Amino acid sequence: IEPGHVLAIVGPSASGKSSLVKSLVGIWRPAQGSVRLDSADLADWARNGLGKYIGYVPQDIDFFEGSVAENIARLGQPDPEMVVKAAIRAGIHEIVLTLPQAYDTMLGENGHILTGGQRQRLALARALYGDPCYVVMDEPNASLDEAGERCLVQAIRTLKAARATVVFTTHRPELIHAADHLLVLAGGKQVGFGNVSDMLTAARKLREARPAAAPAGNQAAGEAA
């Protein structure tokens, strides 16, 4: 995947999407093969120096004990301008301003309770903090409403324009159109890969051909009878 390219990963449940995503950011190490960034194995990168270049939105979102600003800044010393910039791009800035102490509102186990959509937007802001050049997201629109999904699509386009590399999984077709390439998984294996428009055209033709096959089969069966 080249800089400025966006890859969507799709497939049924248990097809291996989340496992692949965890390998792509170094949470899991592949038993075979390798994940390479700039031709270097991900496992060979210094972990304390690599984090600032990677944005990650997991499927199961957790926040640490700390303020909204500290969580967006990944528990580093928050840069107020960068925090607000990430929140605006994630479409959660206005929502944060309505919280009890705005960006100083405490999160975590004993902190303020966020809705599913708010958690997902805040996780996106955390991933976008510091303008990473490699962003990986696992079902980033699973809990988003229509407005939230529009913000997500715009964030992906902004990353693409900045020549960041973006990878995401999704079950919802609306997000696929924001990608350049489509990877289809089934049973832990690649069963399709290509340009999004070509892949969607092929899928549409396949769907159109299936209903046409049924009458022909019924007619043949009737003639045989």
Side-chain angles (χ1 to χ4, degrees), residues 176-218:
I176 294 174
H177 295 283
D180 302 299
H181 305 291
L182 183 63
L183 170 64
V184 184
L185 298 179
K189 296 181 179 180
Q190 173 182 312
V191 296
F193 178 80
N195 178 276
V196 166
S197 60
D198 293 341
M199 294 283 286
L200 293 179
T201 298
R204 185 175 64 253
K205 288 181 178 179
L206 184 61
R207 286 195 302 268
E208 292 171 350
R210 281 174 177 166
N218 291 340

Side-chain angles (χ1 to χ4, degrees), residues 84-198:
V84 172
K85 177 183 176 182
I88 290 173
R89 289 170 66 186
I92 197 172
H93 174 65
E94 299 297 333
I95 295 173
V96 171
L97 295 181
T98 68
L99 298 179
Q101 284 83 42
Y103 282 94
D104 292 326
T105 301
M106 297 301 291
L107 299 178
E109 188 174 340
N110 299 313
H112 186 78
I113 304 300
L114 301 174
T115 68
Q118 290 171 346
R119 291 173 65 84
Q120 203 141 39
R121 289 197 197 197
L122 191 59
L124 176 60
R126 180 172 60 186
L128 297 176
Y129 181 79
D131 296 322
C133 56
Y134 177 45
V135 178
V136 180
M137 301 179 283
D138 196 0
E139 298 285 350
N141 60 335
S143 300
L144 294 181
D145 56 16
E146 203 171 305
E149 194 163 79
R150 285 197 300 269
C151 289
L152 173 60
V153 170
Q154 183 56 49
I156 291 172
R157 289 172 177 165
T158 299
L159 288 165
K160 178 178 172 64
R163 291 186 57 74
T165 300
V166 182
V167 180
F168 63 81
T169 71
T170 185
H171 278 294
R172 288 158 63 171
E174 295 84 359
L175 201 56
I176 294 174
H177 295 283
D180 302 299
H181 305 291
L182 183 63
L183 170 64
V184 184
L185 298 179
K189 296 181 179 180
Q190 173 182 312
V191 296
F193 178 80
N195 178 276
V196 166
S197 60
D198 293 341

